[in-house]
Amino acid sequence: MNAVSGDLGVGTMAELDAERTAAARRRAATRTQRTSEARLRLLTLPAMILADVLALTLAVGIAFAVRQVVLPPAGDLRENVASASLIMALGWLAVIAVLGGYDRRQLTSGPQLYRNVLHASGAAFGVIGALVYLLDLELSRAFFLAFFAAGPPLLLLNRVLIRRGLATARVRGSSGSR
């Protein structure tokens, strides 16, 4: 019996060691995946802000071109746009941040991030429009409307591209750890 129980003990110990090793490998893979996802989440915020800055810069260019094509060219438009567009874009970015448009947790959750960007765009339109009116700033209405017509689609496109990039990185990361 001793020999039989000794054999069973050795077999059981080997199986136990194999299970422990497999469990340790799973924990290490999970830890590595969590670490890479955390790094990825840290990079998404600067990427979203940079993409939004580029989108709003493009929106300024589109609005300037639309204003100059639709209406007779204005000689002082360039100076007015240069001063006002920076303030408008920074205000828009601030409203996006306040209303949750840069919440990294919502990148994977679905349409809430898109809603936040659209609500922020509407709020920015209202606030900036009111400020332009109240401060009696020299700003073309056509430029203002074209800027706020071009901006939201570009900002939403940013979110779509960032979400797809994040999903692609996750697929590559999880298939690389198997």
Side-chain angles (χ1 to χ4, degrees):
M1 268 221 180
N2 220 358
V4 172
S5 60
D7 288 340
L8 287 177
V10 171
T12 306
M13 287 300 272
E15 290 172 0
L16 188 58
D17 285 343
E19 286 178 26
R20 286 181 183 161
T21 303
R25 283 186 187 144
R26 282 192 301 272
R27 282 192 305 272
T30 302
R31 207 173 17 253
T32 302
Q33 187 176 3
R34 276 192 302 233
T35 303
S36 63
E37 284 185 16
R39 262 188 258 129
L40 202 56
R41 270 187 259 126
L42 281 176
L43 292 175
T44 56
L45 181 62
M48 282 193 292
I49 292 171
L50 179 62
D52 285 354
V53 167
L54 293 174
L56 293 179
T57 302
L58 181 59
V60 166
I62 291 169
F64 183 80
V66 165
R67 165 55 183 89
Q68 293 295 73
V69 169
V70 171
L71 298 173
D76 63 344
L77 182 64
R78 192 161 286 165
E79 293 82 28
N80 293 339
V81 165
S83 62
S85 63
L86 178 63
I87 295 167
M88 289 170 37
L90 289 175
W92 199 340
L93 292 172
V95 172
I96 290 172
V98 168
L99 294 180
Y102 294 120
D103 189 354
R104 292 179 300 228
R105 294 172 298 179
Q106 292 180 357
L107 267 176
T108 58
S109 68
Q112 185 61 36
L113 188 67
Y114 303 125
R115 257 190 303 256
N116 289 348
V117 170
L118 286 176
H119 288 148
S121 296
F125 178 80
V127 169
I128 293 170
L131 287 175
V132 166
Y133 174 75
L134 291 173
L135 298 175
D136 199 27
L137 298 177
E138 292 291 324
L139 185 66
S140 166
R141 284 176 284 205
F143 171 81
F144 181 81
L145 291 174
F147 178 60
F148 278 98
L154 293 171
L155 293 170
L156 290 174
L157 179 63
N158 283 344
R159 295 307 184 278
V160 168
L161 294 175
I162 288 172
R163 282 188 71 178
R164 285 188 182 164
L166 190 60
T168 301
R170 281 197 174 132
V171 167
R172 286 183 183 159
S174 65
S175 65
S177 65
R178 286 184 183 167

